[in-house]
Structures are given as structure tokens and as C-alpha cells.
């Protein structure tokens, strides 16, 4: 994914904006990434990817998502149609729920 590609397709939040926000704010939990233009608070498709970016940052690794924007959008379209996530290689492979204890965006307001 390139820096100007959108990670949160609902709110048009690019990878570049997310990288800058995470680097600047150093959010203690992934749910705080929602403060970056509402990322992750719409259909929730991007939440596992936001968690991955957060994990990469916390680990001191480069923040990157190894998926093409075309494939990413197609997978989101299938997710919105079926409500199910695919977990091919390179996919975060997590399916947080609204009450997820991992602090993913859209979870509890104090998380
Ligand atoms: S793609 Fe981010 S909330 Fe829908």
C-alpha cells in the first residue's frame, strides 16, 4: 500500500495520515487511532489493519500494510456484503468485536 492510499475507506484516511498520527501521538491503545479523522469507526473493516499499524509502531517496526489498494478495496466490499473477513497471507487475520478487550477502534470509549 502506498502512503496516499486509503486505509480507512469509510473516512478516506490515508496510510500517510495514520503513520503521522501514530508517530506523533503515540497512542497507548489502538482505539485512540479513531481520533485520527474517525478511522475505524464506520464499517470497521479497517480495524485489524489499524491494530497492525499500532503493533508495528509499538514494536519499532516500519508501519506498512502489504496489500494492494485494489485487493484491499475488493476484500472490504466482500466483507460489507457477507460480514466475514478473509485471512490470506498478509492479512492481520483478527476479527475484533465491539467488546474486544484489545482496545481496537470503535470499542469501549475508555479503551
Ligand atoms: S473502512 Fe474504516 S471504518 Fe470502514
Amino acid at each position: 500500500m502506498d502512503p496516499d492510499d486509503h486505509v480507512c475507506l469509510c473516512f478516506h484516511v490515508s496510510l500517510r495520515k495514520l503513520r503521522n498520527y501514530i508517530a506523533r501521538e503515540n497512542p497507548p491503545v489502538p482505539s485512540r487511532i479513531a481520533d485520527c479523522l474517525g478511522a475505524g469507526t464506520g464499517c470497521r473493516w479497517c480495524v485489524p489493519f489499524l491494530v497492525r499499524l499500532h503493533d508495528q509502531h509499538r514494536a519499532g517496526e516500519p508501519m506498512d500494510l502489504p496489500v494492494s489498494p485494489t485487493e484491499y478495496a475488493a476484500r472490504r466490499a466482500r466483507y460489507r456484503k457477507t460480514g466475514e473477513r478473509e485471512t490470506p497471507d498478509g492479512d492481520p487475520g483478527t476479527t475484533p468485536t465491539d467488546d474486544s478487550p484489545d482496545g481496537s477502534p470503535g470499542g469501549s470509549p475508555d479503551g
Side-chain angles (χ1 to χ4, degrees):
M1 198 174 265
D2 290 329
D4 290 327
D5 293 329
H6 291 162
V7 177
C8 183
L9 298 173
C10 288
F11 295 103
H12 310 289
V13 186
S14 69
L15 178 59
R16 182 190 315 274
K17 287 178 183 173
L18 290 164
R19 282 175 174 161
N20 289 340
Y21 176 83
I22 293 169
R24 184 181 64 242
E25 300 296 331
N26 193 23
V29 291
S31 62
R32 293 297 175 91
I33 297 173
D35 291 343
C36 181
L37 304 172
T41 60
C43 73
R44 297 181 53 80
W45 158 254
C46 63
V47 168
F49 298 90
L50 301 178
V51 171
R52 170 169 280 197
L53 292 173
H54 185 264
D55 288 348
Q56 290 170 337
H57 173 68
R58 299 294 275 192
E61 299 170 359
M63 290 181 273
D64 195 19
L65 298 173
V67 59
S68 78
T70 303
E71 177 62 20
Y72 184 80
R75 284 163 46 191
R76 175 186 178 249
R78 289 192 292 271
Y79 165 76
R80 292 197 65 179
K81 194 172 187 176
T82 66
E84 296 179 7
R85 293 181 187 276
E86 303 163 35
T87 56
D89 289 346
D91 191 300
T94 58
T95 310
T97 60
D98 286 344
D99 58 355
S100 173
D102 69 358
S104 58
S108 63
D110 60 351

